[in-house]
Amino acid sequence: MGDNRHAPVIAIDGPSASGKGTVARLVADKLGFHFLDSGALYRLVALAALQSKTNLDDTLSIEHITMKINGKFCSGEVWLEGARVTEAIRNEEVSAAASRVAALPGVRQALLQRQRAFRRPPGLVADGRDMGSTVFPDAELKIFLTASPEERARRRYKQLMEKGMRASMITLLQEMRERDARDSARAVAPLQKCEDAIELDTTGLPVEAVVSKLLVLYAKAQKAP
Ligand code: DC
C-alpha cells in the first residue's frame, strides 16, 4: 500500500460532456496509467438507489447504499452486484440522480477511499469534478477542461445517438445547465477550478489535440522541481 501514495496522478476535472472522459482514457492509455472514472461511482450509487426504489431525498438510506455497494470496473465494463450496467449507468435518469446523490456529503465521504484506492504505480489518470481539489490534492498535474454548454449538449447528443438512445437537444441542453448549476452550487466539493489547475477550453478542439496538449503539460510537470 505504502508506495501507492506516491504513484503520480493526473487529475482531470470539469463539467459533464467537456470531453474529460474520452481525453482522460486516452491519456491513461498513452502513458500506460490506470484510469478512474469517478463519475461512474456516483452513477452506480444512483442506479442502485433507483433500482431499489429508494427516495433520493432519504439521505441515510442513500448513504447506506453507498457504503454497501458492490461495484466493479473491468476492461471498460461496469458491474453492479454482479450485473453488467455499462450502458444502464449512462441514461439521463441515472445522470440526473447521480448529480443529486453526489450532493450528499456522506456519499462523497464514503466514496473517498474507494477513489484513492485506484492510485497505483505506474500512475493514475483520474476524471471527475473534485479530483484535484479533494481526492488527489497532491496530483502532479491538475487540468480543468471546459467547453461551451451548446458544444457539450451536442457531444452528449452524439454519444446517445451512437448508442441508439433517444434524445432531444433542447432537453439535453436544459438538463446540462441544471446539472452544472447543482454540481457547482453544492456545499461539499463543488465543481470549480482549483487554483493550481490549468484551464483548457476544448470548444472546437479535436480530441487528439487536447490529448497531445495534456501529454506535453505532464512532461513539463515532471521536469518542474
Ligand atoms: O462525470 P459524470 O457525468 O459521469 O458524473 C456523474 C455525476 O456525478 C455528475 O452530476 C457529477 C457527479 N460527480 C461528482 O460530483 N464528483 C465526481 N468526482 C464525479 C462526478
Side-chain angles (χ1 to χ4, degrees):
M1 203 47 203
D3 270 347
N4 291 358
R5 280 179 296 133
H6 303 294
V9 175
I10 300 178
I12 304 183
D13 292 303
S16 52
S18 55
K20 283 177 299 132
T22 313
V23 166
R25 240 175 253 276
L26 287 168
V27 170
D29 277 355
K30 293 260 182 210
L31 295 170
F33 279 15
H34 300 281
F35 172 63
L36 165 63
D37 172 5
S38 62
L41 288 171
Y42 291 95
R43 287 172 180 275
L44 277 179
V45 173
L47 180 62
L50 292 172
Q51 282 179 345
S52 60
K53 304 209 185 320
T54 305
N55 187 330
L56 296 178
D57 293 321
D58 179 351
T59 308
L60 281 182
S61 298
I62 302 287
E63 286 174 8
H64 186 72
I65 288 175
T66 311
M67 281 182 273
K68 295 266 163 199
I69 207 159
N70 174 18
K72 281 201 177 60
F73 299 87
C74 191
S75 313
E77 301 286 358
V78 187
W79 303 81
L80 175 63
E81 310 297 343
R84 196 180 150 278
V85 294
T86 316
E87 286 84 29
I89 58 162
R90 302 284 158 200
N91 73 41
E92 288 306 301
E93 190 191 9
V94 175
S95 300
S99 166
R100 287 181 60 189
V101 301
L104 302 175
V107 169
R108 305 200 71 84
Q109 184 59 35
L111 291 181
L112 204 52
Q113 285 315 321
R114 280 194 191 220
Q115 294 173 87
R116 289 186 176 148
F118 279 78
R119 184 176 201 168
R120 293 192 305 273
L124 175 72
V125 180
D127 155 12
R129 305 292 189 289
D130 60 343
M131 297 297 99
S133 61
T134 308
V135 184
F136 303 109
D138 60 340
E140 262 66 19
L141 178 64
K142 299 181 186 180
I143 300 290
F144 193 78
L145 278 195
T146 59
S148 68
E150 292 75 16
E151 168 110 1
R152 293 190 287 120
R154 253 195 312 276
R155 288 178 188 168
R156 182 71 92 201
Y157 181 82
K158 201 166 153 253
Q159 277 173 359
L160 292 172
M161 288 295 131
E162 280 166 5
K163 288 179 188 155
M165 291 161 137
R166 284 158 161 263
S168 133
M169 265 298 283
I170 293 170
T171 314
L172 282 178
L173 188 55
Q174 168 74 15
E175 285 173 354
M176 192 145 298
R177 289 199 163 121
E178 280 171 16
R179 214 176 316 148
D180 281 356
R182 194 161 41 220
D183 292 343
S184 310
R186 69 173 174 236
V188 182
L191 167 68
Q192 60 184 25
K193 175 189 164 305
C194 52
E195 237 173 51
D196 50 350
I198 299 169
E199 183 163 350
L200 212 60
D201 186 339
T202 69
T203 310
L205 275 186
V207 170
E208 307 76 50
V210 183
V211 171
S212 304
K213 184 140 184 101
L214 258 60
L215 291 171
V216 170
L217 288 171
Y218 180 59
K220 272 194 201 154
Q222 278 180 305
K223 279 190 209 131

